[in-house]
Amino acid sequence: MVTVLQLSDTHLRAEPNTPASNDPDASLAATLRAVESVHADLLLLTGDLADDGSYEGVRRLGDAVGQLSPEIVAVAGNHDTVDNVRRVFGTRDTAEVGTWRLLVVETTIPGEDHGRVDVEDLIRRLDGLDDRPTLIALHHPPRSPSTNPMFQLIGADEMLAALAVRRHVKAVVSGHLHEVCDYRVGALQLVGAPSTYYAIRHVGDAYELVDDGIVGAQLLTLGDDGSFSCERVRRSLGC
């Protein structure tokens, strides 16, 4: 059994502690305190790492989380500049963790909030590897409680259809929504992570910031038998 710590949507900026009225650095620090006892085998970062797309914002995140795990894998989000994420965290898109394999998939479209998945490329990658239990990580969720175009993933249905016949793919984890969500498509689990920064509630095309949503991190437990489970960790900013 191994543990993957997932952090998402940190939204740091080049200048620390901005905006002061809703400080993403303070929120990240509170999240890190909430998971300080976690011994993660791998740290997974699922996008919107830098709100302004800056290298400095991503670099500061790297400094903040560098001691959390011996292995870190990151994927960019719609707020990120992909090259800046790769400069800090590298270009690796596959990792072996315990008996599992992790594949990260880039879904960003420059200048757009929604995403797109290259299903043919994903199939090629999967079919070129052995069929050990597999976790796929991306920024944009393939299923969403929102109908707003900003929160959609082009190619999601085709991707899920391809995964349905590749039963060794056990779960897909994502960010972007700032709202936790859980879906099941056949045997496949789809898990949306909280943001470390703030929570959103989605209803149809509408969305709003909320005080009672989960803000923090996500712990993914990958069993040697191929089992998968998820636990959310709330952060507290304290007094």
Side-chain angles (χ1 to χ4, degrees), residues 3-238:
T3 299
V4 174
L5 172 60
Q6 183 184 0
L7 302 179
S8 196
D9 298 271
T10 53
H11 288 276
L12 299 191
R13 299 187 181 185
E15 186 67 24
N17 309 112
T18 56
S21 59
N22 188 17
D23 184 351
D25 290 88
S27 195
L28 174 64
T31 298
L32 298 184
R33 289 194 296 271
V35 297
E36 61 185 358
S37 63
V38 173
H39 300 287
D41 298 283
L42 184 142
L43 172 64
L44 173 62
L45 305 173
T46 48
D48 282 1
L49 310 181
D51 189 71
D52 55 5
S54 65
Y55 166 76
E56 188 64 20
V58 182
R59 186 197 62 76
R60 294 198 306 102
L61 176 63
D63 290 344
V65 303
Q67 301 304 311
L68 289 178
S69 173
E71 287 197 82
I72 302 176
V73 177
V75 64
N78 52 289
H79 279 268
D80 294 311
T81 301
V82 173
D83 286 346
N84 287 338
V85 173
R86 291 175 175 172
R87 283 177 64 192
V88 175
F89 294 109
T91 60
R92 186 170 59 150
D93 61 6
T94 306
E96 295 181 5
V97 53
T99 60
W100 282 65
R101 175 176 286 115
L102 168 69
L103 265 64
V104 295
V105 178
E106 292 286 359
T107 57
T108 60
I109 305 172
E112 300 289 348
D113 290 314
H114 66 279
R116 177 185 292 113
V117 58
D118 185 336
V119 180
E120 289 187 2
D121 181 67
L122 176 58
I123 291 171
R124 178 189 58 77
R125 292 175 62 193
L126 285 169
D127 290 352
L129 299 167
D130 62 49
D131 61 353
R132 73 184 64 193
T134 298
L135 173 69
I136 292 177
L138 34 66
H139 179 64
H140 296 85
R143 284 287 179 270
S144 171
S146 174
T147 56
N148 190 303
M150 293 171 55
F151 298 102
Q152 305 308 309
L153 176 65
I154 297 172
D157 290 342
E158 293 85 351
M159 182 185 80
L160 294 178
L163 297 183
V165 296
R166 292 166 174 82
R167 300 294 296 272
H168 62 292
V169 180
K170 304 296 184 180
V172 178
V173 296
S174 57
H176 191 48
L177 293 174
H178 291 236
E179 180 179 13
V180 300
C181 60
D182 299 274
Y183 296 94
R184 198 169 188 95
V185 178
L188 182 67
Q189 296 187 64
L190 310 178
V191 178
S195 165
T196 67
Y197 187 19
Y198 60 84
I200 292 175
R201 180 173 295 125
H202 298 270
V203 181
D205 276 358
Y207 59 95
E208 62 177 349
L209 275 64
V210 293
D211 294 329
D212 59 347
I214 296 176
V215 179
Q218 191 156 265
L219 298 180
L220 312 173
T221 301
L222 313 181
D224 294 341
D225 59 354
S227 61
F228 171 89
S229 63
C230 170
E231 177 187 354
R232 278 75 188 231
V233 180
R234 290 179 181 265
R235 67 99 170 103
S236 172
L237 285 171

